[in-house]
Amino acid sequence: MGQANNIWIEVSCSFAVLAVVALSYKFLNPNGGRVWKIHAIYFASAICTVVFLPQSIASYIFTDLTVTLVGAVYPIYRATKAVCTPFEDDDKEWLQFWMLGGVLFMATTWVDDLIEEDSRAYDIWFGILLFSFFWLYFPLTCGAMLVYEHITQPFLGPCFQPVQRRMSDYILYIYQTLANATHLYFLWFFFMLLPAGSKRTVAIATGTVYPFISSVAAAATDEMEDDTYWLTYWSVYGCLFLIMDLLETWLGQVPGFYSIVICSTIYLMLPMFRGAEKVFRRVLVPLAGLQELMILRDSILIKKQMMKDLDPERSKVISKSIAKFFDGEANTDPAALQKELKQSWSALNISRSVTPSGFGKKSTGYKEPTPLGHNLV
């Protein structure tokens, strides 16, 4: 009975901390983290809390569950929402968070082994993790953006961009080599001989080292596509890490467990599979209830691309055609939708032929578009 009460108290404290974190992020206005007195007060308060809080209280607050909720679950939701919005600043902010989060994930691999039997050290370590994760996105500290502005963009980005290009070539070569079943079998055989702790280290390193370098290189550029790609990856990999962390207590000794984790990580990571994007759109976005926001973001990106690729007159004509296609009552019949698309396309061709701007001439090799949705992911 007492053990059950302790569990309920621990869970209640963890969700209470999560509620405080979520409310502060929602209602406090970000200040860019440029008020250094706030950082000094934050870290002084964090150190005093971690060191001097009685262990009888700390054991209920500084727990694995609290760190998981604040350092992984809530950031996964915020990162998912950031990808679904058309704004660009939040993508960089949360990409920077996950870059540093990946480093902390790697740190847990060794620290957990070092303090395995010391309960007080566990409380201190989880307290450090809790305050470190929260500092990265707390609106009054904005640690992730500070690291981006003062470290990633001016120093790490220029250094890591050539490294990332070389690693991309090496990874492609390794993938092509491992496509040979014989090579893959020998690699898997030696991997299976490793102890469980080493397998865990390899699994986490596979999911964090190259993505960290690629994320640094992406964050240092002005292009948003690579930021979104790697933020999508980190959001999905965060879920995979949580699943691994949850199941390895029972399945960590089972042969093939970490092999499945590594294969899943590679599927999420490599651009040739685009696994992270598929899982993100089909699993995370529906779970977060952000389907409408995702569709809105896609629409805005399509409009931006259309305005970039076409001259203003042609862009205006196509915008009207698209608006007409979506206007009116919803129709889910594929044949009717295809008929509407052909009608809109015919009207567009007529408009092009009569527009006195010279763009109505057909270019050589021009092809009609494929049916709506054929190339959408």
Side-chain angles (χ1 to χ4, degrees):
M1 187 67 178
Q3 184 69 23
N5 288 335
N6 290 338
I7 293 176
W8 278 112
I9 294 174
E10 181 179 319
V11 172
S12 300
C13 290
S14 297
F15 278 94
V17 172
L18 176 63
V20 172
V21 168
L23 290 173
S24 66
Y25 188 87
K26 182 176 181 179
F27 293 108
L28 292 178
N29 294 322
N31 62 3
R34 293 176 176 82
V35 182
W36 295 105
K37 289 183 180 179
I38 295 179
H39 292 275
I41 294 173
Y42 181 89
F43 283 114
S45 302
I47 293 172
C48 291
T49 303
V50 171
V51 174
F52 297 112
L53 190 69
Q55 188 174 5
S56 58
I57 301 176
S59 60
Y60 290 116
I61 298 176
F62 301 144
T63 64
D64 193 9
L65 177 60
T66 305
V67 173
T68 299
L69 293 174
V70 175
V73 175
Y74 186 69
I76 287 172
Y77 170 74
R78 299 305 313 188
T80 302
K81 192 169 184 178
V83 173
C84 293
T85 62
F87 308 112
E88 299 179 352
D89 291 342
D90 53 357
D91 284 23
K92 283 195 178 294
E93 175 187 357
W94 285 104
L95 178 62
Q96 183 66 58
F97 169 87
W98 281 108
M99 288 157 48
L100 298 174
V103 175
L104 293 176
F105 287 154
M106 283 294 296
T108 60
T109 303
W110 298 295
V111 176
D112 287 351
D113 293 335
L114 292 175
I115 61 176
E116 188 172 3
E117 302 297 332
D118 192 338
S119 60
R120 179 57 180 165
Y122 254 118
D123 293 339
I124 293 176
W125 170 238
F126 283 137
I128 293 173
L129 284 178
L130 178 64
F131 282 105
S132 298
F133 278 125
F134 188 43
W135 175 78
L136 292 175
Y137 61 84
F138 181 44
L140 299 183
T141 55
C142 298
M145 288 306 297
L146 280 181
V147 173
Y148 168 74
E149 293 174 357
H150 296 285
I151 299 178
T152 301
Q153 190 176 38
F155 301 111
L156 294 182
C159 295
F160 279 22
Q161 283 174 343
V163 175
Q164 187 266 338
R165 286 192 290 267
R166 287 196 296 269
M167 287 190 70
S168 297
D169 294 337
Y170 292 149
I171 288 176
L172 179 60
Y173 173 76
I174 292 172
Y175 172 78
Q176 292 172 343
T177 302
L178 293 180
N180 186 314
T182 303
H183 294 140
L184 184 60
Y185 174 78
F186 278 111
L187 183 65
W188 180 79
F189 176 77
F190 286 112
F191 176 75
M192 294 300 294
L193 297 178
L194 296 175
S198 299
K199 291 178 183 177
R200 186 179 195 273
T201 301
V202 172
I204 296 177
T206 302
T208 56
V209 175
Y210 175 69
F212 172 79
I213 295 175
S214 297
S215 298
V216 171
T221 66
D222 294 330
E223 296 293 331
M224 290 307 302
E225 288 78 6
D226 49 2
D227 290 1
T228 301
Y229 178 86
W230 286 110
L231 182 57
T232 301
Y233 165 79
W234 284 112
S235 301
V236 180
Y237 177 74
C239 296
L240 178 63
F241 182 86
L242 291 179
I243 294 172
M244 181 191 75
D245 198 41
L246 179 65
L247 296 180
E248 66 183 350
T249 303
W250 299 281
L251 302 179
Q253 302 295 331
V254 176
F257 174 74
Y258 290 106
S259 300
I260 294 175
V261 172
I262 291 176
C263 291
S264 301
T265 302
I266 293 174
Y267 172 74
L268 297 176
M269 183 198 315
L270 295 184
M272 65 188 70
F273 300 126
R274 301 193 73 86
E277 183 178 355
K278 296 174 183 176
V279 175
F280 181 85
R281 287 179 175 269
R282 297 173 185 175
V283 180
L284 284 189
V285 172
L287 284 177
L290 299 173
Q291 299 96 318
E292 295 84 357
L293 193 59
M294 190 77 227
I295 293 172
L296 179 60
R297 176 191 170 96
D298 290 341
S299 303
I300 293 174
L301 293 178
I302 291 173
K303 182 177 180 179
K304 289 174 64 176
Q305 189 66 38
M306 183 176 65
M307 295 177 67
K308 178 182 177 181
D309 294 341
L310 305 177
D311 60 73
E313 286 293 333
R314 190 174 181 185
S315 176
K316 185 177 180 180
V317 171
I318 293 180
S319 297
K320 289 182 178 180
S321 179
I322 294 175
K324 183 179 178 181
F325 179 71
F326 283 102
D327 191 22
E329 297 181 358
N331 193 339
T332 58
D333 180 40
L337 287 173
Q338 187 170 1
K339 182 178 179 181
E340 289 182 25
L341 178 59
K342 288 182 177 180
Q343 290 174 349
S344 298
W345 182 249
S346 300
L348 176 61
N349 282 333
I350 294 174
S351 299
R352 292 174 60 204
S353 64
V354 300
T355 303
S357 60
F359 70 84
K361 298 178 181 179
K362 287 189 177 181
S363 59
T364 304
Y366 184 82
K367 296 181 179 179
E368 290 191 2
T370 55
L372 184 65
H374 180 73
N375 290 323
L376 293 179
V377 178

